[in-house]
Amino acid sequence: MSTSTSDFIAKLTELKKDFKIFIPSSKKEVTANQITLKQQKDIISTAVNGVLGALQFTEAINNVINDNIDADNFYTFDRVPALLALRVQSLGDKIKADDGTTVSLKPSLKKAKDVPAFKLTKKISLDSIKVDLRVPTLKEENVILRKCIQEIDKLKSEDLSEAMGLIYIFELIKTIKAVTLDEETVDFNDLKVIDRVKIIEHLPLDLYNDITEFLSQISSYEKEVLTIGESKITIDASLFDATTAT
């Protein structure tokens, strides 16, 4: 008796073995599933797309986290610990560090559990301008990423500097929740992405130091997690290439 492809895939799905991984924002372990071959392919394929590929990679790994881990929301500081845990469970803990040495990711998973007191929101101001900052969820980030990918994809290949500029602007977009000028407040969730870009481009440069400081709480945590002894791990497509551990 023949089995339809959809039925066969359903049976394969039922074979998936779940496991527990630690999520910083909830400070507890939740259930997760291994990365599939298709997901691995989608991640690795972003490596050949240059500037655009960097954004596609982030969108792809965000999708994997949202799809494979049983939790309602993940913040951007959940990304690195979640990815490392999925990598260990799917391909093993051994990987080549930036200096070429082979290291285990297990110390990184242990350090990821030392979670700092992240500030999810912050208000900054300059004269009559007030800006509400937030740490976005991965779902919120992906909405911005998809629009950024569309905009960069429209550029000609030689417009590399403009593409890099867009990436920088979109990094700020996902962090800003609202901007108030005098008594008028603009909620970024109510605006099209292109209108958010226009507003950010007209903000005083002095505000960016405060925004950078807000973002540094996450980058400092990630740097600590990704440092193993004297070696450092880079989060890119090679993380999910099993051959990089040999």
Side-chain angles (χ1 to χ4, degrees):
M1 182 176 179
S2 61
T3 303
S4 69
T5 300
S6 59
D7 289 340
F8 193 75
I9 292 174
K11 290 180 180 179
L12 285 174
T13 303
E14 291 174 359
L15 293 176
K16 290 182 179 178
K17 294 182 179 180
D18 57 34
F19 48 88
K20 297 291 186 179
I21 67 173
F22 178 79
I23 299 299
S25 61
S26 60
K27 294 186 179 180
K28 65 180 182 180
E29 292 189 334
V30 299
T31 303
N33 291 307
Q34 289 181 327
I35 295 170
T36 66
L37 183 60
K38 181 183 183 305
Q39 289 174 327
Q40 181 192 38
K41 180 195 70 175
D42 290 342
I43 292 170
I44 293 176
S45 66
T46 65
V48 298
N49 292 339
V51 175
L52 191 62
L55 298 177
Q56 292 171 331
F57 169 74
T58 302
E59 182 186 16
I61 59 177
N62 285 354
N63 286 336
V64 169
I65 291 170
N66 283 320
D67 292 343
N68 290 41
I69 304 176
D70 186 16
D72 292 331
N73 275 314
F74 304 95
Y75 291 92
T76 49
F77 57 82
D78 290 323
R79 178 166 41 229
V80 167
L83 274 181
L84 296 183
L86 288 172
R87 203 285 180 186
V88 168
Q89 292 291 339
S90 302
L91 293 170
D93 67 295
K94 302 299 183 184
I95 191 170
K96 274 193 178 179
D98 293 352
D99 59 6
T101 60
T102 299
V103 298
S104 170
L105 292 174
K106 290 182 179 179
S108 290
L109 296 183
K110 184 177 180 179
K111 287 197 289 185
K113 294 182 178 181
D114 186 14
V115 184
F118 287 110
K119 292 183 178 179
L120 296 182
T121 61
K122 183 178 181 180
K123 294 181 182 291
I124 61 175
S125 62
L126 179 66
D127 299 327
S128 60
I129 304 173
K130 298 178 182 178
V131 180
D132 292 334
L133 305 178
R134 56 88 186 267
V135 176
T137 66
L138 297 190
K139 290 179 181 177
E140 290 169 335
E141 184 182 53
N142 267 6
V143 172
I144 305 299
L145 281 169
R146 282 191 287 271
K147 183 60 180 178
C148 186
I149 289 169
Q150 291 173 4
E151 292 298 321
I152 291 178
D153 203 30
K154 295 176 184 177
L155 299 175
K156 295 179 180 179
S157 58
E158 62 268 20
D159 292 336
L160 180 60
S161 60
E162 186 173 351
M164 293 300 292
L166 273 174
I167 290 176
Y168 177 70
I169 290 294
F170 276 87
E171 186 69 24
L172 298 176
I173 285 177
K174 67 186 184 185
T175 306
I176 295 177
K177 182 179 180 181
V179 176
T180 300
L181 179 59
D182 295 323
E183 299 300 319
E184 184 178 357
T185 299
V186 176
D187 189 331
F188 269 34
N189 288 331
D190 297 334
L191 298 178
K192 294 180 180 179
V193 172
I194 191 63
D195 291 329
R196 302 185 204 185
V197 171
K198 293 176 181 178
I199 290 175
I200 287 179
E201 288 180 334
H202 285 84
L203 290 177
L205 194 59
D206 288 350
L207 283 171
Y208 294 118
N209 288 332
D210 291 329
I211 297 175
T212 300
E213 182 182 352
F214 179 69
L215 293 172
S216 69
Q217 63 177 334
I218 298 176
S219 59
S220 296
Y221 172 65
E222 292 178 341
K223 182 179 179 180
E224 177 63 25
V225 171
L226 294 171
T227 301
I228 304 172
E230 298 298 321
S231 303
K232 298 183 185 301
I233 302 298
T234 296
I235 298 294
D236 59 20
S238 67
L239 184 68
F240 297 93
D241 182 354
T243 63
T244 60
T246 59

